[in-house]
């Protein structure tokens, strides 16, 4: 997130939030019984997204078009984690909380 924030706009591959965060959405929504999930890919993806949303610049920039997908992803993460997967639940809740805080702090698209 820091590298993306500090990079000049012309050096970035994309500033579209859907393109930028697509790999994280894909990893976070993976099957909980896969080898990637056993290695912590789902938890790491949720943690990276939470850090992006915690950033005052990137969070406000990316949360408006992504909030429904983020909340759905976190809700599905709570449902799909097994009874013993407390860590995944914790990161799902943290990501959802970070998204809601970024939504609260983002400037309104409606100008009066």
């Amino acid at each position: 997130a820091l590298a993306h924030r500090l990079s000049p706009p012309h050096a970035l591959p994309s500033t579209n939030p859907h393109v930028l965060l697509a790999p994280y959405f894909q990893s976070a929504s993976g099957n909980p019984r896969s080898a990637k999930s056993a290695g912590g890919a789902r938890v790491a993806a949720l943690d990276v997204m939470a850090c992006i949303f915690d950033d005052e610049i990137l969070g406000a920039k990316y949360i408006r078009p992504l909030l429904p997908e983020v909340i759905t992803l976190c809700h599905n993460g709570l449902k799909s984690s097994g009874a013993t997967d407390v860590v995944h639940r914790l990161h799902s809740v943290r990501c959802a909380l970070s998204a809601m805080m970024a939504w609260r702090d983002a400037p309104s698209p409606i100008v009066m």
Side-chain angles (χ1 to χ4, degrees):
L2 182 63
H4 186 76
R5 181 176 173 191
L6 297 177
S7 297
H10 61 81
L12 298 174
S14 175
T15 55
N16 181 347
H18 293 282
V19 173
L20 180 71
L21 296 178
Y24 300 111
F25 274 98
Q26 186 178 7
S27 292
S29 63
N31 187 338
R33 293 187 181 93
S34 69
K36 275 179 138 179
S37 295
R42 291 189 336 151
V43 170
L46 287 169
D47 197 34
V48 167
M49 287 194 296
C51 289
I52 288 173
F53 297 137
D54 284 341
D55 186 88
E56 61 227 15
I57 294 174
L58 291 179
K61 184 177 182 181
Y62 291 144
I63 195 58
R64 290 263 175 221
L66 293 175
L67 185 66
E69 288 100 351
V70 171
I71 297 302
T72 302
L73 175 75
C74 294
H75 182 252
N76 290 341
L78 287 172
K79 293 191 308 185
S80 75
S81 60
T84 59
D85 197 1
V86 178
V87 174
H88 188 264
R89 287 188 189 147
L90 174 75
H91 285 278
S92 292
V93 169
R94 183 175 177 274
C95 185
L97 181 64
S98 296
M100 294 307 295
M101 298 298 264
W103 175 269
R104 182 194 69 180
D105 297 338
S108 176
I110 301 170
V111 179
M112 294 186 180

